[in-house]
Amino acid sequence: MTTKSEFVLTLACPNRPGIVAAVANHLLTHDGDIRDAQQFDDAETGRFFMRVVFTSTSHIDIVRTDLTEVATLFAMKWQLNERTRRRRVLLLVSKFDHCLLDLLYRWRMNELNMEPVGIVSNHPRDTYAHWDLGDIPFHHLPVTPGTKLEQETELWRLIRDSGTELVVLARYMQVLSDGIVAKLAGRCINIHHSFLPSFKGGSPYAQAHSRGVKLIGATAHYVTGDLDEGPIIDQEVRRIDHRHSIAEMQAMGREVERQVLLRAVRMHLEDRIFIDGNKTVVFS
Amino acid sequence: MTTKSEFVLTLACPNRPGIVAAVANHLLTHDGDIRDAQQFDDAETGRFFMRVVFTSTSHIDIVRTDLTEVATLFAMKWQLNERTRRRRVLLLVSKFDHCLLDLLYRWRMNELNMEPVGIVSNHPRDTYAHWDLGDIPFHHLPVTPGTKLEQETELWRLIRDSGTELVVLARYMQVLSDGIVAKLAGRCINIHHSFLPSFKGGSPYAQAHSRGVKLIGATAHYVTGDLDEGPIIDQEVRRIDHRHSIAEMQAMGREVERQVLLRAVRMHLEDRIFIDGNKTVVFS
Amino acid sequence: MTTKSEFVLTLACPNRPGIVAAVANHLLTHDGDIRDAQQFDDAETGRFFMRVVFTSTSHIDIVRTDLTEVATLFAMKWQLNERTRRRRVLLLVSKFDHCLLDLLYRWRMNELNMEPVGIVSNHPRDTYAHWDLGDIPFHHLPVTPGTKLEQETELWRLIRDSGTELVVLARYMQVLSDGIVAKLAGRCINIHHSFLPSFKGGSPYAQAHSRGVKLIGATAHYVTGDLDEGPIIDQEVRRIDHRHSIAEMQAMGREVERQVLLRAVRMHLEDRIFIDGNKTVVFS
Amino acid sequence: MTTKSEFVLTLACPNRPGIVAAVANHLLTHDGDIRDAQQFDDAETGRFFMRVVFTSTSHIDIVRTDLTEVATLFAMKWQLNERTRRRRVLLLVSKFDHCLLDLLYRWRMNELNMEPVGIVSNHPRDTYAHWDLGDIPFHHLPVTPGTKLEQETELWRLIRDSGTELVVLARYMQVLSDGIVAKLAGRCINIHHSFLPSFKGGSPYAQAHSRGVKLIGATAHYVTGDLDEGPIIDQEVRRIDHRHSIAEMQAMGREVERQVLLRAVRMHLEDRIFIDGNKTVVFS
């Protein structure tokens, strides 16, 4: 085979000399040309993280098989993906649809390397009547305290059956319960409408208004069992002043939210994020 | 008298129709030419805030006397200053001197309309041996738990005797006690080395590092009896990532701290800040 | 009549004492409560600019009639609008639709006080097949060098017949000729995809890539006969580095373009912009 | 020898497979532990750039000798430095001293890994009377059109005799002539007080004011024979509006200038910058 594919190798392991050489030598046996490589040693945890983009004429299965040996040697947690492969993404949304629409727009513009396998909302389809959601399956999963278990069971079934690799909470205003969160560790991204750890919980803009802060923000993070405490992927802020009402802060916030969520989802889809304890390593 | 002086009038009062007209008419009787005016109605509290810059050939005492009538009529809390008058400022500092030095540099460059009446530190003079503090009186006021009362009594004496109008805590790492804070209400500015309300209290950069945030910041605020809870004047952030150690975050933070403190002090010296409950109105 | 309407008064005139008092007194006779006021004296040109938001129980026609006297006295160029009145806006677009879609999204979210009276493109309707353009009339006006005169004549007819008050060039990639530009003075906003005055003319991202700049940007400006030289309304930048290809710069640029154009259009719709020679005064 | 030193290896060469493996293998023979590595393939020029930080117990001379073979094999242009080695820096300044003082402050705070070997000014020493320049030799080299050749000859003698490795034009307001510029290729950094390529040449703030831009900026670049056209290292901007006079823009600009120059000098001192034609590759 003479066509070259582009691959992304990501790995994490205890740090020790020789990792880079071992990986580079291995790739060279596959005629691999390293196009980009980034690494990070976390001196506090002793963990080593690496992302390598390379081209090769070998088939991904062959590269993968051969990598197993070196991976075992260094106790690596690793992944190898073809760069063009589109991840299967499930989008969850509630009433506010600005994040959802922005993600779909980027997808249509070929700015996001994903395949939306479904949209799930606790509101009915006609909430989004103005928007062309295309052929993406829409699932209305209403939820009440009494039906939460059933709703999440159904949600999990959807995730499983659709082969979902990433769940995006695009302003989905329901708290997922521990059971489903545990199944989605490291592959469920939420956008919180405040500059965490400030203003956790509900109504962050009202909290910000009341405290009189001069910057408001948004935070994208992986979802964990600890509400609003998961590993932070990205954050951004906007300047406000005394004249901004809560409603105006919400409108400005929407802009920040969609910008931050977009960046976080893009980084995830490009295999640029590693979870390092309660933090993230992001190779931008 | 034919020379024109420039004045700054600031006022706050319950909102009702006619305030602007009353003020404008009054100034016109003094041949006042309004150069700049900003106002804000706080719909939540019903308070009206206004800052007017005007030129006039009248003497400040005459304008002031005449304004008393209209001020009484509208129950105004007000101030009238000549724009060029330099406020008397006392600078408090501890080991980290970057904020102090930046304020002194700006003062020498005529960027800050102040008269430094003294520098107070809990560290000795030779901590700052490298810097030319000029003729500004330096006061070494060491403090221990057992001598805090005496130290603050001496500090208060300095403030009073020097005619200090504004106290700036330029990374002064001692918590002022309630007694002296009460005497300095609305005229004591602190720089906190975090993006409040995140990371209150000590070691905010260590807290930020531990939480894995992607932006760090600084907050300038008026000092109140509630530690780190006073009205926020200004805030700013810088982007960090996984590679930044606590020491690097502190170095970056110094840059943000001095920038934010400088802006806050400048706004205060230019009569641009109003305290509105636990918030500020800042006419920038 | 006891209901209060909110009005926006904007005025420009030669500066002299008494303007603020005259306006404030006049509004007071209409029971006007000034909610917000901003002003600016341009010391270089001697022009005075003012924007006043006030509530009144009077009818707009009565306020307007009464204002005529004071306006004449001070040689004012002035406008009085009800704050809620939606301006009639014509949107021009070419192949890139990100700015158009963002403006329509904001309009649907009630973030933009406008009435889109039509969309004009030199590309056919199905270029935008994915997007729900609603009931807004779509006009396909193709243009070639030989038909430009006819196309612009038709465009002008559309503007006139639809009562268009503002024309927005939302990445409309045709240069308007002087004849139609002259008719649209002060009411035609363009987004240029560079940080003007850098990289005027075509392919600004390619120019930026070639020069190796570290920030790219976008500029919203009023259209004049001098290409890319009209009064600048707003600008914004994004950081890039050596890794960004021209295509990636274009994608990042789209984000900046829509953000800057949105802000400029919003400022215009809220009567916050004054043209002052070849510059703008923007009361934000 | 059991103590470990930290080294920085930088290299540039034509891209081809095997570079990373060759370097990594070589370092491994010296017990090298790669702490950080960044690389970039310029697809347009076919050049490959790499910066590797590693620890090793070997002496630098031994590592260097051994690297020669691999460097020759790949036609590398390369450098190997001990990370702690302080570069010898000559600072040139004119009347405005804000950049000079900031660099000296950072140096004293151990934020800049340099050894200032001298300060050169075309103004006399007492221009900076307020500042403690410490033991750094000060050279007053006045310049007139008629004495420029002699002045630059003297400057070059200073550079040579002091073992200067980097020349920083910290708002040095004289244009260096081609002769001396040629000798300083890749090791002379200038700060230009505009957002290049806008407003080249003199009085950029006046130009910016006249054009009515909404952002002003500064640009750090390597000096070449083409005035204001050298490879850009870093840029930054600040928002202004209609109220800013030229003097205020200059004051704001000083803040940007010193921030951008500091970053550029720091990047250079840390071997993070590669010149790639008329652009730079900066590994931040």
Side-chain angles (χ1 to χ4, degrees), chain A residues 97-98 102 105-106 111 130 132 254-255 258 284, chain C residues 97-98 102 105-106 111 130 132 243 254-255 258 284:
Chain A
D97 54 19
H98 51 286
D102 194 49
Y105 179 76
R106 304 303 175 155
E111 290 183 27
H130 269 307
D132 176 4
R254 285 197 287 270
E255 190 66 19
R258 75 176 189 174
S284 62
Chain C
D97 53 19
H98 52 284
D102 194 50
Y105 180 74
R106 305 303 176 155
E111 290 182 27
H130 269 307
D132 177 5
R243 292 170 300 184
R254 285 198 287 271
E255 190 66 21
R258 75 176 187 174
S284 62

PDB file of all heavy atoms in Angstrom, chain A residues 97-98 102 105-106 111 130 132 254-255 258 284, chain C residues 97-98 102 105-106 111 130 132 243 254-255 258 284:
ATOM      1  N   ASP A  97     -30.503  26.768  23.353  1.00  0.00           N
ATOM      2  CA  ASP A  97     -29.977  25.960  22.250  1.00  0.00           C
ATOM      3  C   ASP A  97     -28.759  26.568  21.561  1.00  0.00           C
ATOM      4  O   ASP A  97     -28.280  26.040  20.561  1.00  0.00           O
ATOM      5  CB  ASP A  97     -31.079  25.733  21.220  1.00  0.00           C
ATOM      6  CG  ASP A  97     -31.709  27.042  20.756  1.00  0.00           C
ATOM      7  OD1 ASP A  97     -31.082  28.100  20.939  1.00  0.00           O
ATOM      8  OD2 ASP A  97     -32.830  27.001  20.233  1.00  0.00           O
ATOM      9  N   HIS A  98     -28.209  27.650  22.114  1.00  0.00           N
ATOM     10  CA  HIS A  98     -27.112  28.330  21.417  1.00  0.00           C
ATOM     11  C   HIS A  98     -25.874  27.446  21.275  1.00  0.00           C
ATOM     12  O   HIS A  98     -25.194  27.495  20.270  1.00  0.00           O
ATOM     13  CB  HIS A  98     -26.762  29.644  22.125  1.00  0.00           C
ATOM     14  CG  HIS A  98     -26.524  29.504  23.584  1.00  0.00           C
ATOM     15  ND1 HIS A  98     -27.540  29.307  24.490  1.00  0.00           N
ATOM     16  CD2 HIS A  98     -25.389  29.518  24.312  1.00  0.00           C
ATOM     17  CE1 HIS A  98     -27.030  29.216  25.706  1.00  0.00           C
ATOM     18  NE2 HIS A  98     -25.731  29.333  25.628  1.00  0.00           N
ATOM     19  N   ASP A 102     -24.432  26.029  17.614  1.00  0.00           N
ATOM     20  CA  ASP A 102     -23.077  26.357  17.214  1.00  0.00           C
ATOM     21  C   ASP A 102     -22.293  25.090  16.869  1.00  0.00           C
ATOM     22  O   ASP A 102     -21.577  25.053  15.865  1.00  0.00           O
ATOM     23  CB  ASP A 102     -22.372  27.127  18.329  1.00  0.00           C
ATOM     24  CG  ASP A 102     -21.089  27.784  17.836  1.00  0.00           C
ATOM     25  OD1 ASP A 102     -21.140  28.449  16.791  1.00  0.00           O
ATOM     26  OD2 ASP A 102     -20.047  27.622  18.481  1.00  0.00           O
ATOM     27  N   TYR A 105     -23.451  23.916  13.530  1.00  0.00           N
ATOM     28  CA  TYR A 105     -22.949  24.782  12.472  1.00  0.00           C
ATOM     29  C   TYR A 105     -21.500  24.443  12.133  1.00  0.00           C
ATOM     30  O   TYR A 105     -21.115  24.324  10.965  1.00  0.00           O
ATOM     31  CB  TYR A 105     -23.089  26.244  12.889  1.00  0.00           C
ATOM     32  CG  TYR A 105     -22.569  27.203  11.850  1.00  0.00           C
ATOM     33  CD1 TYR A 105     -23.305  27.459  10.696  1.00  0.00           C
ATOM     34  CD2 TYR A 105     -21.341  27.826  12.009  1.00  0.00           C
ATOM     35  CE1 TYR A 105     -22.819  28.322   9.722  1.00  0.00           C
ATOM     36  CE2 TYR A 105     -20.849  28.692  11.040  1.00  0.00           C
ATOM     37  CZ  TYR A 105     -21.595  28.937   9.900  1.00  0.00           C
ATOM     38  OH  TYR A 105     -21.116  29.793   8.940  1.00  0.00           O
ATOM     39  N   ARG A 106     -20.691  24.252  13.165  1.00  0.00           N
ATOM     40  CA  ARG A 106     -19.280  23.918  12.958  1.00  0.00           C
ATOM     41  C   ARG A 106     -19.134  22.569  12.258  1.00  0.00           C
ATOM     42  O   ARG A 106     -18.222  22.365  11.457  1.00  0.00           O
ATOM     43  CB  ARG A 106     -18.545  23.845  14.299  1.00  0.00           C
ATOM     44  CG  ARG A 106     -18.650  25.069  15.128  1.00  0.00           C
ATOM     45  CD  ARG A 106     -18.150  26.276  14.399  1.00  0.00           C
ATOM     46  NE  ARG A 106     -18.381  27.450  15.222  1.00  0.00           N
ATOM     47  CZ  ARG A 106     -17.678  28.544  15.130  1.00  0.00           C
ATOM     48  NH1 ARG A 106     -16.741  28.654  14.217  1.00  0.00           N
ATOM     49  NH2 ARG A 106     -17.949  29.562  15.893  1.00  0.00           N
ATOM     50  N   GLU A 111     -15.691  21.995  10.523  1.00  0.00           N
ATOM     51  CA  GLU A 111     -14.726  22.472  11.507  1.00  0.00           C
ATOM     52  C   GLU A 111     -14.612  21.506  12.687  1.00  0.00           C
ATOM     53  O   GLU A 111     -13.733  21.649  13.532  1.00  0.00           O
ATOM     54  CB  GLU A 111     -15.125  23.854  12.031  1.00  0.00           C
ATOM     55  CG  GLU A 111     -14.969  24.968  11.023  1.00  0.00           C
ATOM     56  CD  GLU A 111     -15.314  26.332  11.629  1.00  0.00           C
ATOM     57  OE1 GLU A 111     -15.176  26.497  12.845  1.00  0.00           O
ATOM     58  OE2 GLU A 111     -15.745  27.212  10.871  1.00  0.00           O
ATOM     59  N   HIS A 130     -37.320  26.416  14.774  1.00  0.00           N
ATOM     60  CA  HIS A 130     -36.682  27.340  13.839  1.00  0.00           C
ATOM     61  C   HIS A 130     -35.426  26.771  13.203  1.00  0.00           C
ATOM     62  O   HIS A 130     -34.926  27.315  12.234  1.00  0.00           O
ATOM     63  CB  HIS A 130     -36.305  28.637  14.552  1.00  0.00           C
ATOM     64  CG  HIS A 130     -37.378  29.664  14.475  1.00  0.00           C
ATOM     65  ND1 HIS A 130     -37.944  30.055  13.298  1.00  0.00           N
ATOM     66  CD2 HIS A 130     -37.993  30.371  15.438  1.00  0.00           C
ATOM     67  CE1 HIS A 130     -38.854  30.968  13.526  1.00  0.00           C
ATOM     68  NE2 HIS A 130     -38.913  31.183  14.818  1.00  0.00           N
ATOM     69  N   ASP A 132     -32.829  23.926  11.563  1.00  0.00           N
ATOM     70  CA  ASP A 132     -32.760  22.751  10.714  1.00  0.00           C
ATOM     71  C   ASP A 132     -31.800  21.758  11.367  1.00  0.00           C
ATOM     72  O   ASP A 132     -30.594  21.920  11.288  1.00  0.00           O
ATOM     73  CB  ASP A 132     -32.266  23.162   9.323  1.00  0.00           C
ATOM     74  CG  ASP A 132     -32.082  21.973   8.404  1.00  0.00           C
ATOM     75  OD1 ASP A 132     -32.413  20.835   8.808  1.00  0.00           O
ATOM     76  OD2 ASP A 132     -31.608  22.185   7.273  1.00  0.00           O
ATOM     77  N   ARG A 254     -23.920  33.571  26.997  1.00  0.00           N
ATOM     78  CA  ARG A 254     -24.179  32.591  25.938  1.00  0.00           C
ATOM     79  C   ARG A 254     -23.033  32.565  24.939  1.00  0.00           C
ATOM     80  O   ARG A 254     -22.632  31.514  24.448  1.00  0.00           O
ATOM     81  CB  ARG A 254     -25.490  32.923  25.221  1.00  0.00           C
ATOM     82  CG  ARG A 254     -26.726  32.573  26.019  1.00  0.00           C
ATOM     83  CD  ARG A 254     -27.973  32.516  25.147  1.00  0.00           C
ATOM     84  NE  ARG A 254     -28.445  33.823  24.729  1.00  0.00           N
ATOM     85  CZ  ARG A 254     -29.316  34.569  25.411  1.00  0.00           C
ATOM     86  NH1 ARG A 254     -29.790  34.145  26.578  1.00  0.00           N
ATOM     87  NH2 ARG A 254     -29.717  35.722  24.957  1.00  0.00           N
ATOM     88  N   GLU A 255     -22.530  33.765  24.642  1.00  0.00           N
ATOM     89  CA  GLU A 255     -21.407  33.873  23.704  1.00  0.00           C
ATOM     90  C   GLU A 255     -20.168  33.154  24.239  1.00  0.00           C
ATOM     91  O   GLU A 255     -19.480  32.434  23.503  1.00  0.00           O
ATOM     92  CB  GLU A 255     -21.111  35.367  23.501  1.00  0.00           C
ATOM     93  CG  GLU A 255     -20.148  35.675  22.400  1.00  0.00           C
ATOM     94  CD  GLU A 255     -20.690  35.327  21.018  1.00  0.00           C
ATOM     95  OE1 GLU A 255     -21.912  35.192  20.861  1.00  0.00           O
ATOM     96  OE2 GLU A 255     -19.852  35.146  20.116  1.00  0.00           O
ATOM     97  N   ARG A 258     -20.693  29.153  24.367  1.00  0.00           N
ATOM     98  CA  ARG A 258     -20.553  28.397  23.133  1.00  0.00           C
ATOM     99  C   ARG A 258     -19.122  28.393  22.635  1.00  0.00           C
ATOM    100  O   ARG A 258     -18.666  27.401  22.063  1.00  0.00           O
ATOM    101  CB  ARG A 258     -21.524  28.909  22.069  1.00  0.00           C
ATOM    102  CG  ARG A 258     -21.181  30.200  21.432  1.00  0.00           C
ATOM    103  CD  ARG A 258     -22.215  30.485  20.335  1.00  0.00           C
ATOM    104  NE  ARG A 258     -21.811  31.620  19.542  1.00  0.00           N
ATOM    105  CZ  ARG A 258     -22.440  32.028  18.462  1.00  0.00           C
ATOM    106  NH1 ARG A 258     -23.502  31.379  18.061  1.00  0.00           N
ATOM    107  NH2 ARG A 258     -22.036  33.057  17.788  1.00  0.00           N
ATOM    108  N   SER A 284      -2.488  22.096  23.000  1.00  0.00           N
ATOM    109  CA  SER A 284      -3.264  22.939  22.078  1.00  0.00           C
ATOM    110  C   SER A 284      -2.517  23.201  20.779  1.00  0.00           C
ATOM    111  O   SER A 284      -1.390  22.785  20.602  1.00  0.00           O
ATOM    112  CB  SER A 284      -3.597  24.253  22.755  1.00  0.00           C
ATOM    113  OG  SER A 284      -2.398  24.917  23.054  1.00  0.00           O
TER     114      SER A 284
ATOM    115  N   ASP C  97     -21.400  32.362   4.844  1.00  0.00           N
ATOM    116  CA  ASP C  97     -22.672  32.758   5.440  1.00  0.00           C
ATOM    117  C   ASP C  97     -22.629  32.866   6.964  1.00  0.00           C
ATOM    118  O   ASP C  97     -23.645  33.052   7.606  1.00  0.00           O
ATOM    119  CB  ASP C  97     -23.763  31.756   5.029  1.00  0.00           C
ATOM    120  CG  ASP C  97     -23.359  30.322   5.339  1.00  0.00           C
ATOM    121  OD1 ASP C  97     -22.456  30.122   6.161  1.00  0.00           O
ATOM    122  OD2 ASP C  97     -23.951  29.395   4.742  1.00  0.00           O
ATOM    123  N   HIS C  98     -21.444  32.732   7.564  1.00  0.00           N
ATOM    124  CA  HIS C  98     -21.369  32.701   9.027  1.00  0.00           C
ATOM    125  C   HIS C  98     -21.857  34.001   9.669  1.00  0.00           C
ATOM    126  O   HIS C  98     -22.500  33.973  10.716  1.00  0.00           O
ATOM    127  CB  HIS C  98     -19.946  32.374   9.491  1.00  0.00           C
ATOM    128  CG  HIS C  98     -18.895  33.237   8.878  1.00  0.00           C
ATOM    129  ND1 HIS C  98     -18.475  33.072   7.584  1.00  0.00           N
ATOM    130  CD2 HIS C  98     -18.179  34.268   9.378  1.00  0.00           C
ATOM    131  CE1 HIS C  98     -17.541  33.985   7.315  1.00  0.00           C
ATOM    132  NE2 HIS C  98     -17.351  34.718   8.398  1.00  0.00           N
ATOM    133  N   ASP C 102     -25.325  34.292  11.996  1.00  0.00           N
ATOM    134  CA  ASP C 102     -25.219  34.781  13.360  1.00  0.00           C
ATOM    135  C   ASP C 102     -26.179  35.946  13.585  1.00  0.00           C
ATOM    136  O   ASP C 102     -26.856  36.012  14.610  1.00  0.00           O
ATOM    137  CB  ASP C 102     -23.780  35.201  13.651  1.00  0.00           C
ATOM    138  CG  ASP C 102     -23.556  35.390  15.141  1.00  0.00           C
ATOM    139  OD1 ASP C 102     -23.917  34.474  15.916  1.00  0.00           O
ATOM    140  OD2 ASP C 102     -23.036  36.437  15.552  1.00  0.00           O
ATOM    141  N   TYR C 105     -29.610  34.554  13.882  1.00  0.00           N
ATOM    142  CA  TYR C 105     -29.795  33.870  15.159  1.00  0.00           C
ATOM    143  C   TYR C 105     -30.046  34.883  16.274  1.00  0.00           C
ATOM    144  O   TYR C 105     -30.961  34.723  17.089  1.00  0.00           O
ATOM    145  CB  TYR C 105     -28.565  33.016  15.482  1.00  0.00           C
ATOM    146  CG  TYR C 105     -28.679  32.281  16.788  1.00  0.00           C
ATOM    147  CD1 TYR C 105     -29.498  31.170  16.928  1.00  0.00           C
ATOM    148  CD2 TYR C 105     -27.978  32.725  17.906  1.00  0.00           C
ATOM    149  CE1 TYR C 105     -29.610  30.507  18.141  1.00  0.00           C
ATOM    150  CE2 TYR C 105     -28.086  32.070  19.123  1.00  0.00           C
ATOM    151  CZ  TYR C 105     -28.910  30.961  19.236  1.00  0.00           C
ATOM    152  OH  TYR C 105     -29.026  30.318  20.440  1.00  0.00           O
ATOM    153  N   ARG C 106     -29.287  35.949  16.294  1.00  0.00           N
ATOM    154  CA  ARG C 106     -29.449  36.986  17.320  1.00  0.00           C
ATOM    155  C   ARG C 106     -30.807  37.656  17.218  1.00  0.00           C
ATOM    156  O   ARG C 106     -31.421  38.023  18.216  1.00  0.00           O
ATOM    157  CB  ARG C 106     -28.370  38.053  17.175  1.00  0.00           C
ATOM    158  CG  ARG C 106     -26.977  37.540  17.193  1.00  0.00           C
ATOM    159  CD  ARG C 106     -26.669  36.777  18.435  1.00  0.00           C
ATOM    160  NE  ARG C 106     -25.334  36.227  18.354  1.00  0.00           N
ATOM    161  CZ  ARG C 106     -24.610  35.931  19.404  1.00  0.00           C
ATOM    162  NH1 ARG C 106     -25.099  36.081  20.615  1.00  0.00           N
ATOM    163  NH2 ARG C 106     -23.418  35.431  19.260  1.00  0.00           N
ATOM    164  N   GLU C 111     -31.991  39.505  20.445  1.00  0.00           N
ATOM    165  CA  GLU C 111     -30.802  40.231  20.881  1.00  0.00           C
ATOM    166  C   GLU C 111     -30.498  41.411  19.965  1.00  0.00           C
ATOM    167  O   GLU C 111     -29.637  42.222  20.272  1.00  0.00           O
ATOM    168  CB  GLU C 111     -29.577  39.294  20.915  1.00  0.00           C
ATOM    169  CG  GLU C 111     -29.606  38.261  22.014  1.00  0.00           C
ATOM    170  CD  GLU C 111     -28.334  37.411  22.018  1.00  0.00           C
ATOM    171  OE1 GLU C 111     -27.287  37.895  21.563  1.00  0.00           O
ATOM    172  OE2 GLU C 111     -28.400  36.263  22.473  1.00  0.00           O
ATOM    173  N   HIS C 130     -29.086  24.625   3.862  1.00  0.00           N
ATOM    174  CA  HIS C 130     -29.117  24.049   5.203  1.00  0.00           C
ATOM    175  C   HIS C 130     -29.778  24.950   6.232  1.00  0.00           C
ATOM    176  O   HIS C 130     -30.091  24.513   7.332  1.00  0.00           O
ATOM    177  CB  HIS C 130     -27.686  23.757   5.680  1.00  0.00           C
ATOM    178  CG  HIS C 130     -27.238  22.383   5.339  1.00  0.00           C
ATOM    179  ND1 HIS C 130     -27.966  21.267   5.674  1.00  0.00           N
ATOM    180  CD2 HIS C 130     -26.128  21.937   4.701  1.00  0.00           C
ATOM    181  CE1 HIS C 130     -27.326  20.186   5.262  1.00  0.00           C
ATOM    182  NE2 HIS C 130     -26.213  20.565   4.653  1.00  0.00           N
ATOM    183  N   ASP C 132     -32.472  27.751   7.809  1.00  0.00           N
ATOM    184  CA  ASP C 132     -33.853  28.206   7.776  1.00  0.00           C
ATOM    185  C   ASP C 132     -33.856  29.728   7.757  1.00  0.00           C
ATOM    186  O   ASP C 132     -33.617  30.370   8.778  1.00  0.00           O
ATOM    187  CB  ASP C 132     -34.561  27.664   9.027  1.00  0.00           C
ATOM    188  CG  ASP C 132     -35.996  28.161   9.114  1.00  0.00           C
ATOM    189  OD1 ASP C 132     -36.456  28.841   8.172  1.00  0.00           O
ATOM    190  OD2 ASP C 132     -36.643  27.873  10.127  1.00  0.00           O
ATOM    191  N   ARG C 243       1.997  27.582  13.529  1.00  0.00           N
ATOM    192  CA  ARG C 243       1.347  26.355  13.085  1.00  0.00           C
ATOM    193  C   ARG C 243       0.084  26.593  12.275  1.00  0.00           C
ATOM    194  O   ARG C 243      -0.435  25.687  11.631  1.00  0.00           O
ATOM    195  CB  ARG C 243       0.996  25.491  14.298  1.00  0.00           C
ATOM    196  CG  ARG C 243       2.219  24.941  15.014  1.00  0.00           C
ATOM    197  CD  ARG C 243       1.820  24.310  16.324  1.00  0.00           C
ATOM    198  NE  ARG C 243       1.177  25.301  17.195  1.00  0.00           N
ATOM    199  CZ  ARG C 243       0.794  25.064  18.442  1.00  0.00           C
ATOM    200  NH1 ARG C 243       0.972  23.883  18.978  1.00  0.00           N
ATOM    201  NH2 ARG C 243       0.246  26.013  19.160  1.00  0.00           N
ATOM    202  N   ARG C 254     -13.347  33.709  10.849  1.00  0.00           N
ATOM    203  CA  ARG C 254     -14.824  33.729  10.782  1.00  0.00           C
ATOM    204  C   ARG C 254     -15.421  34.046  12.142  1.00  0.00           C
ATOM    205  O   ARG C 254     -16.400  34.777  12.249  1.00  0.00           O
ATOM    206  CB  ARG C 254     -15.333  32.371  10.293  1.00  0.00           C
ATOM    207  CG  ARG C 254     -15.138  32.143   8.810  1.00  0.00           C
ATOM    208  CD  ARG C 254     -16.019  31.005   8.287  1.00  0.00           C
ATOM    209  NE  ARG C 254     -15.571  29.695   8.693  1.00  0.00           N
ATOM    210  CZ  ARG C 254     -14.698  28.944   8.010  1.00  0.00           C
ATOM    211  NH1 ARG C 254     -14.165  29.400   6.894  1.00  0.00           N
ATOM    212  NH2 ARG C 254     -14.370  27.746   8.433  1.00  0.00           N
ATOM    213  N   GLU C 255     -14.813  33.474  13.181  1.00  0.00           N
ATOM    214  CA  GLU C 255     -15.292  33.717  14.539  1.00  0.00           C
ATOM    215  C   GLU C 255     -15.153  35.199  14.914  1.00  0.00           C
ATOM    216  O   GLU C 255     -16.064  35.795  15.485  1.00  0.00           O
ATOM    217  CB  GLU C 255     -14.463  32.852  15.498  1.00  0.00           C
ATOM    218  CG  GLU C 255     -14.968  32.790  16.908  1.00  0.00           C
ATOM    219  CD  GLU C 255     -16.304  32.091  17.017  1.00  0.00           C
ATOM    220  OE1 GLU C 255     -16.675  31.321  16.117  1.00  0.00           O
ATOM    221  OE2 GLU C 255     -17.007  32.354  18.019  1.00  0.00           O
ATOM    222  N   ARG C 258     -17.682  37.495  12.761  1.00  0.00           N
ATOM    223  CA  ARG C 258     -19.088  37.558  13.159  1.00  0.00           C
ATOM    224  C   ARG C 258     -19.253  38.275  14.490  1.00  0.00           C
ATOM    225  O   ARG C 258     -20.230  38.983  14.696  1.00  0.00           O
ATOM    226  CB  ARG C 258     -19.708  36.160  13.176  1.00  0.00           C
ATOM    227  CG  ARG C 258     -19.324  35.284  14.315  1.00  0.00           C
ATOM    228  CD  ARG C 258     -20.117  33.981  14.193  1.00  0.00           C
ATOM    229  NE  ARG C 258     -19.916  33.154  15.362  1.00  0.00           N
ATOM    230  CZ  ARG C 258     -20.565  32.025  15.565  1.00  0.00           C
ATOM    231  NH1 ARG C 258     -21.443  31.589  14.694  1.00  0.00           N
ATOM    232  NH2 ARG C 258     -20.346  31.328  16.640  1.00  0.00           N
ATOM    233  N   SER C 284     -20.547  53.085  24.215  1.00  0.00           N
ATOM    234  CA  SER C 284     -20.807  51.660  24.455  1.00  0.00           C
ATOM    235  C   SER C 284     -21.563  51.422  25.761  1.00  0.00           C
ATOM    236  O   SER C 284     -21.809  52.321  26.517  1.00  0.00           O
ATOM    237  CB  SER C 284     -19.503  50.901  24.455  1.00  0.00           C
ATOM    238  OG  SER C 284     -18.701  51.365  25.501  1.00  0.00           O
TER     239      SER C 284
END
